[in-house]
mmCIF file of all heavy atoms in Angstrom:
data_model
loop_
_atom_site.group_PDB
_atom_site.id
_atom_site.type_symbol
_atom_site.label_atom_id
_atom_site.label_comp_id
_atom_site.label_asym_id
_atom_site.label_seq_id
_atom_site.Cartn_x
_atom_site.Cartn_y
_atom_site.Cartn_z
ATOM 1 N N ALA Q 22 5.233 -4.313 -7.789
ATOM 2 C CA ALA Q 22 4.006 -3.615 -7.219
ATOM 3 C C ALA Q 22 4.216 -2.151 -7.051
ATOM 4 O O ALA Q 22 3.357 -1.377 -7.387
ATOM 5 C CB ALA Q 22 3.659 -4.250 -5.867
ATOM 6 N N ALA Q 23 5.429 -1.773 -6.554
ATOM 7 C CA ALA Q 23 5.697 -0.323 -6.357
ATOM 8 C C ALA Q 23 5.795 0.362 -7.745
ATOM 9 O O ALA Q 23 5.211 1.514 -7.924
ATOM 10 C CB ALA Q 23 7.010 -0.211 -5.662
ATOM 11 N N ASP Q 24 6.274 -0.264 -8.748
ATOM 12 C CA ASP Q 24 6.320 0.274 -10.076
ATOM 13 C C ASP Q 24 5.011 0.449 -10.709
ATOM 14 O O ASP Q 24 4.642 1.509 -11.268
ATOM 15 C CB ASP Q 24 7.270 -0.607 -11.013
ATOM 16 C CG ASP Q 24 8.734 -0.535 -10.611
ATOM 17 O OD1 ASP Q 24 9.149 0.364 -9.870
ATOM 18 O OD2 ASP Q 24 9.497 -1.460 -11.072
ATOM 19 N N VAL Q 25 4.070 -0.545 -10.527
ATOM 20 C CA VAL Q 25 2.770 -0.570 -11.089
ATOM 21 C C VAL Q 25 1.978 0.598 -10.448
ATOM 22 O O VAL Q 25 1.212 1.277 -11.097
ATOM 23 C CB VAL Q 25 2.040 -1.866 -10.893
ATOM 24 C CG1 VAL Q 25 0.571 -1.746 -11.034
ATOM 25 C CG2 VAL Q 25 2.696 -2.937 -11.820
ATOM 26 N N ALA Q 26 2.224 0.789 -9.104
ATOM 27 C CA ALA Q 26 1.462 1.770 -8.350
ATOM 28 C C ALA Q 26 2.042 3.140 -8.545
ATOM 29 O O ALA Q 26 1.382 4.184 -8.169
ATOM 30 C CB ALA Q 26 1.365 1.442 -6.871
ATOM 31 N N GLY Q 27 3.245 3.252 -9.037
ATOM 32 C CA GLY Q 27 3.954 4.487 -9.192
ATOM 33 C C GLY Q 27 4.404 5.085 -7.844
ATOM 34 O O GLY Q 27 4.447 6.242 -7.687
ATOM 35 N N ARG Q 28 4.668 4.205 -6.893
ATOM 36 C CA ARG Q 28 5.152 4.569 -5.562
ATOM 37 C C ARG Q 28 6.404 3.880 -5.220
ATOM 38 O O ARG Q 28 6.952 3.059 -5.995
ATOM 39 C CB ARG Q 28 4.060 4.169 -4.494
ATOM 40 C CG ARG Q 28 2.627 4.666 -4.799
ATOM 41 C CD ARG Q 28 2.692 6.203 -4.747
ATOM 42 N NE ARG Q 28 1.390 6.718 -5.142
ATOM 43 C CZ ARG Q 28 0.521 7.234 -4.277
ATOM 44 N NH1 ARG Q 28 0.772 7.216 -2.963
ATOM 45 N NH2 ARG Q 28 -0.631 7.688 -4.723
ATOM 46 N N THR Q 29 7.049 4.194 -4.057
ATOM 47 C CA THR Q 29 8.275 3.530 -3.647
ATOM 48 C C THR Q 29 7.910 2.125 -2.980
ATOM 49 O O THR Q 29 6.732 1.917 -2.498
ATOM 50 C CB THR Q 29 9.004 4.318 -2.675
ATOM 51 O OG1 THR Q 29 8.241 4.496 -1.439
ATOM 52 C CG2 THR Q 29 9.311 5.717 -3.327
ATOM 53 N N ASP Q 30 8.889 1.320 -2.865
ATOM 54 C CA ASP Q 30 8.644 0.043 -2.234
ATOM 55 C C ASP Q 30 8.357 0.314 -0.721
ATOM 56 O O ASP Q 30 7.537 -0.416 -0.088
ATOM 57 C CB ASP Q 30 9.857 -0.936 -2.363
ATOM 58 C CG ASP Q 30 11.192 -0.393 -1.839
ATOM 59 O OD1 ASP Q 30 11.330 0.825 -1.629
ATOM 60 O OD2 ASP Q 30 12.095 -1.191 -1.683
ATOM 61 N N ARG Q 31 8.857 1.356 -0.044
ATOM 62 C CA ARG Q 31 8.567 1.613 1.304
ATOM 63 C C ARG Q 31 7.074 2.034 1.503
ATOM 64 O O ARG Q 31 6.435 1.593 2.451
ATOM 65 C CB ARG Q 31 9.478 2.805 1.823
ATOM 66 C CG ARG Q 31 9.229 3.291 3.240
ATOM 67 C CD ARG Q 31 9.709 2.179 4.161
ATOM 68 N NE ARG Q 31 8.588 1.570 4.842
ATOM 69 C CZ ARG Q 31 8.642 0.529 5.594
ATOM 70 N NH1 ARG Q 31 9.777 -0.170 5.769
ATOM 71 N NH2 ARG Q 31 7.612 0.025 6.207
ATOM 72 N N THR Q 32 6.481 2.669 0.491
ATOM 73 C CA THR Q 32 5.126 3.044 0.540
ATOM 74 C C THR Q 32 4.202 1.860 0.442
ATOM 75 O O THR Q 32 3.260 1.660 1.168
ATOM 76 C CB THR Q 32 4.755 3.997 -0.668
ATOM 77 O OG1 THR Q 32 5.528 5.208 -0.459
ATOM 78 C CG2 THR Q 32 3.306 4.356 -0.637
ATOM 79 N N VAL Q 33 4.600 0.892 -0.453
ATOM 80 C CA VAL Q 33 3.819 -0.357 -0.530
ATOM 81 C C VAL Q 33 3.929 -1.146 0.749
ATOM 82 O O VAL Q 33 2.932 -1.710 1.297
ATOM 83 C CB VAL Q 33 4.334 -1.188 -1.711
ATOM 84 C CG1 VAL Q 33 3.633 -2.555 -1.789
ATOM 85 C CG2 VAL Q 33 4.064 -0.465 -2.988
ATOM 86 N N ARG Q 34 5.152 -1.168 1.377
ATOM 87 C CA ARG Q 34 5.242 -1.837 2.720
ATOM 88 C C ARG Q 34 4.389 -1.105 3.759
ATOM 89 O O ARG Q 34 3.742 -1.800 4.581
ATOM 90 C CB ARG Q 34 6.722 -1.737 3.167
ATOM 91 C CG ARG Q 34 7.604 -2.769 2.512
ATOM 92 C CD ARG Q 34 8.846 -2.862 3.280
ATOM 93 N NE ARG Q 34 9.976 -3.332 2.411
ATOM 94 C CZ ARG Q 34 10.956 -2.597 1.895
ATOM 95 N NH1 ARG Q 34 11.155 -1.388 2.284
ATOM 96 N NH2 ARG Q 34 11.874 -3.154 1.083
ATOM 97 N N ASN Q 35 4.308 0.192 3.720
ATOM 98 C CA ASN Q 35 3.425 0.914 4.625
ATOM 99 C C ASN Q 35 1.967 0.500 4.465
ATOM 100 O O ASN Q 35 1.131 0.370 5.367
ATOM 101 C CB ASN Q 35 3.563 2.427 4.450
ATOM 102 C CG ASN Q 35 4.853 2.914 4.985
ATOM 103 O OD1 ASN Q 35 5.610 2.252 5.786
ATOM 104 N ND2 ASN Q 35 5.301 4.095 4.526
ATOM 105 N N TRP Q 36 1.550 0.355 3.133
ATOM 106 C CA TRP Q 36 0.216 -0.091 2.902
ATOM 107 C C TRP Q 36 -0.108 -1.474 3.501
ATOM 108 O O TRP Q 36 -1.247 -1.691 4.028
ATOM 109 C CB TRP Q 36 -0.061 -0.143 1.408
ATOM 110 C CG TRP Q 36 -0.104 1.225 0.690
ATOM 111 C CD1 TRP Q 36 -0.095 2.453 1.320
ATOM 112 C CD2 TRP Q 36 -0.094 1.426 -0.701
ATOM 113 N NE1 TRP Q 36 -0.083 3.443 0.361
ATOM 114 C CE2 TRP Q 36 -0.089 2.833 -0.865
ATOM 115 C CE3 TRP Q 36 -0.112 0.688 -1.807
ATOM 116 C CZ2 TRP Q 36 -0.137 3.367 -2.154
ATOM 117 C CZ3 TRP Q 36 -0.111 1.163 -3.044
ATOM 118 C CH2 TRP Q 36 -0.082 2.541 -3.252
ATOM 119 N N VAL Q 37 0.830 -2.327 3.405
ATOM 120 C CA VAL Q 37 0.677 -3.650 4.005
ATOM 121 C C VAL Q 37 0.590 -3.583 5.511
ATOM 122 O O VAL Q 37 -0.322 -4.123 6.144
ATOM 123 C CB VAL Q 37 1.916 -4.592 3.612
ATOM 124 C CG1 VAL Q 37 1.828 -5.877 4.346
ATOM 125 C CG2 VAL Q 37 1.852 -4.790 2.109
ATOM 126 N N GLU Q 38 1.462 -2.788 6.136
ATOM 127 C CA GLU Q 38 1.372 -2.585 7.659
ATOM 128 C C GLU Q 38 0.071 -1.956 8.043
ATOM 129 O O GLU Q 38 -0.380 -2.287 9.140
ATOM 130 C CB GLU Q 38 2.580 -1.779 8.040
ATOM 131 C CG GLU Q 38 3.906 -2.443 7.912
ATOM 132 C CD GLU Q 38 5.096 -1.558 8.148
ATOM 133 O OE1 GLU Q 38 4.928 -0.454 8.673
ATOM 134 O OE2 GLU Q 38 6.242 -1.980 7.853
ATOM 135 N N ALA Q 39 -0.485 -1.051 7.225
ATOM 136 C CA ALA Q 39 -1.758 -0.405 7.629
ATOM 137 C C ALA Q 39 -2.935 -1.253 7.260
ATOM 138 O O ALA Q 39 -4.051 -0.922 7.531
ATOM 139 C CB ALA Q 39 -1.825 0.939 6.813
ATOM 140 N N GLY Q 40 -2.758 -2.477 6.630
ATOM 141 C CA GLY Q 40 -3.823 -3.315 6.275
ATOM 142 C C GLY Q 40 -4.578 -2.992 5.016
ATOM 143 O O GLY Q 40 -5.630 -3.512 4.776
ATOM 144 N N GLU Q 41 -3.955 -2.111 4.194
ATOM 145 C CA GLU Q 41 -4.599 -1.668 2.982
ATOM 146 C C GLU Q 41 -4.293 -2.594 1.817
ATOM 147 O O GLU Q 41 -4.998 -2.599 0.796
ATOM 148 C CB GLU Q 41 -4.129 -0.244 2.531
ATOM 149 C CG GLU Q 41 -4.463 0.848 3.544
ATOM 150 C CD GLU Q 41 -5.923 1.189 3.424
ATOM 151 O OE1 GLU Q 41 -6.609 0.816 2.485
ATOM 152 O OE2 GLU Q 41 -6.462 1.788 4.455
ATOM 153 N N LEU Q 42 -3.259 -3.423 1.951
ATOM 154 C CA LEU Q 42 -2.891 -4.375 0.950
ATOM 155 C C LEU Q 42 -2.274 -5.612 1.576
ATOM 156 O O LEU Q 42 -1.680 -5.539 2.652
ATOM 157 C CB LEU Q 42 -1.726 -3.657 0.118
ATOM 158 C CG LEU Q 42 -1.234 -4.399 -1.087
ATOM 159 C CD1 LEU Q 42 -2.304 -4.593 -2.135
ATOM 160 C CD2 LEU Q 42 -0.108 -3.609 -1.745
ATOM 161 N N SER Q 43 -2.634 -6.762 1.017
ATOM 162 C CA SER Q 43 -2.163 -8.002 1.555
ATOM 163 C C SER Q 43 -1.248 -8.683 0.591
ATOM 164 O O SER Q 43 -1.277 -8.409 -0.617
ATOM 165 C CB SER Q 43 -3.355 -8.932 1.877
ATOM 166 O OG SER Q 43 -4.096 -9.192 0.693
ATOM 167 N N THR Q 44 -0.472 -9.625 1.142
ATOM 168 C CA THR Q 44 0.510 -10.395 0.294
ATOM 169 C C THR Q 44 0.134 -11.861 0.448
ATOM 170 O O THR Q 44 -0.507 -12.311 1.397
ATOM 171 C CB THR Q 44 1.954 -10.274 0.857
ATOM 172 O OG1 THR Q 44 2.055 -10.755 2.104
ATOM 173 C CG2 THR Q 44 2.342 -8.824 0.695
ATOM 174 N N ARG Q 45 0.533 -12.575 -0.586
ATOM 175 C CA ARG Q 45 0.346 -14.068 -0.586
ATOM 176 C C ARG Q 45 1.671 -14.644 -1.023
ATOM 177 O O ARG Q 45 2.100 -14.412 -2.148
ATOM 178 C CB ARG Q 45 -0.775 -14.479 -1.552
ATOM 179 C CG ARG Q 45 -2.170 -14.174 -1.036
ATOM 180 C CD ARG Q 45 -3.233 -14.492 -1.936
ATOM 181 N NE ARG Q 45 -4.508 -13.849 -1.581
ATOM 182 C CZ ARG Q 45 -4.838 -12.692 -1.817
ATOM 183 N NH1 ARG Q 45 -4.105 -11.834 -2.473
ATOM 184 N NH2 ARG Q 45 -6.064 -12.201 -1.357
ATOM 185 N N LEU Q 46 2.246 -15.317 -0.071
ATOM 186 C CA LEU Q 46 3.657 -15.938 -0.334
ATOM 187 C C LEU Q 46 4.565 -14.879 -0.833
ATOM 188 O O LEU Q 46 5.431 -15.126 -1.715
ATOM 189 C CB LEU Q 46 3.488 -17.067 -1.354
ATOM 190 C CG LEU Q 46 2.606 -18.212 -0.984
ATOM 191 C CD1 LEU Q 46 2.428 -19.180 -2.146
ATOM 192 C CD2 LEU Q 46 3.070 -18.935 0.278
ATOM 193 N N GLY Q 47 4.475 -13.669 -0.279
ATOM 194 C CA GLY Q 47 5.411 -12.629 -0.611
ATOM 195 C C GLY Q 47 5.180 -11.941 -1.901
ATOM 196 O O GLY Q 47 5.956 -11.154 -2.398
ATOM 197 N N ARG Q 48 4.035 -12.183 -2.490
ATOM 198 C CA ARG Q 48 3.614 -11.573 -3.806
ATOM 199 C C ARG Q 48 2.415 -10.745 -3.637
ATOM 200 O O ARG Q 48 1.601 -10.917 -2.771
ATOM 201 C CB ARG Q 48 3.387 -12.633 -4.829
ATOM 202 C CG ARG Q 48 4.582 -13.522 -5.174
ATOM 203 C CD ARG Q 48 5.668 -12.713 -5.893
ATOM 204 N NE ARG Q 48 6.910 -13.550 -6.041
ATOM 205 C CZ ARG Q 48 7.624 -13.420 -7.076
ATOM 206 N NH1 ARG Q 48 7.310 -12.558 -8.046
ATOM 207 N NH2 ARG Q 48 8.745 -14.195 -7.236
#
Side-chain angles (χ1 to χ4, degrees):
D24 291 343
V25 164
R28 306 295 174 105
T29 65
D30 59 343
R31 181 70 247 169
T32 298
V33 174
R34 282 193 204 111
N35 289 341
W36 293 350
V37 172
E38 290 172 12
E41 296 288 340
L42 185 61
S43 60
T44 63
R45 288 177 193 81
L46 301 175
R48 300 290 176 145

